[in-house]
Amino acid sequence: MEFVSIKDLSKEIKINLLKKLGYNSDGIFVLDTKGNRVKDKYIGINVELSNMLIFPGSTIILDNNPLSIASYLEEFKHEL
C-alpha cells in the first residue's frame, strides 16, 4: 500500500479533493453532504482540513494521528 501525503497541498486543492469524494469544507473542518462536521470514527474529534487523512481506495476520512491510523489498519487489515 502506498500512502501519498496531502499535508502539503494547498487548501483549495484539499477542498476540491473532498468535493470529488462527496464531502466539503468550511475552510477549517471537513464537512459531510449535509454540512455537518465529519468526526474521526475512532477518536471522535472533528476532522480538520489541515490534518485530514484519506486512505487509498476509501472515502474514510480520519484525523492524522497514530491511534486513528492503527485503528483503521486493524479494522480493515483483511481488505488491505
Side-chain angles (χ1 to χ4, degrees):
M1 175 187 309
E2 179 183 346
F3 291 96
V4 178
S5 176
I6 57 175
K7 192 101 174 151
D8 297 326
L9 297 177
S10 71
K11 184 184 286 189
E12 293 78 21
I13 291 174
K14 289 179 185 179
I15 292 171
N16 285 335
L17 175 60
L18 286 172
K19 287 180 178 180
K20 289 189 182 292
L21 295 172
Y23 292 86
N24 207 339
S25 177
D26 60 5
I28 298 173
F29 294 99
V30 176
L31 307 175
D32 65 16
T33 57
K34 296 180 181 179
N36 299 312
R37 292 178 181 171
V38 171
K39 289 195 178 288
D40 182 298
K41 70 182 267 182
Y42 300 108
I43 61 172
I45 64 169
N46 294 324
V47 179
E48 293 186 23
L49 183 65
S50 63
N51 205 40
M52 71 177 181
L53 177 66
I54 304 170
F55 280 89
S58 77
T59 55
I60 297 172
I61 299 175
L62 303 174
D63 184 73
N64 187 7
N65 69 75
L67 180 57
S68 293
I69 295 168
S71 298
Y72 173 89
L73 293 173
E74 179 63 26
E75 181 177 351
F76 294 98
K77 66 184 170 192
H78 300 291
E79 297 175 31
L80 300 175

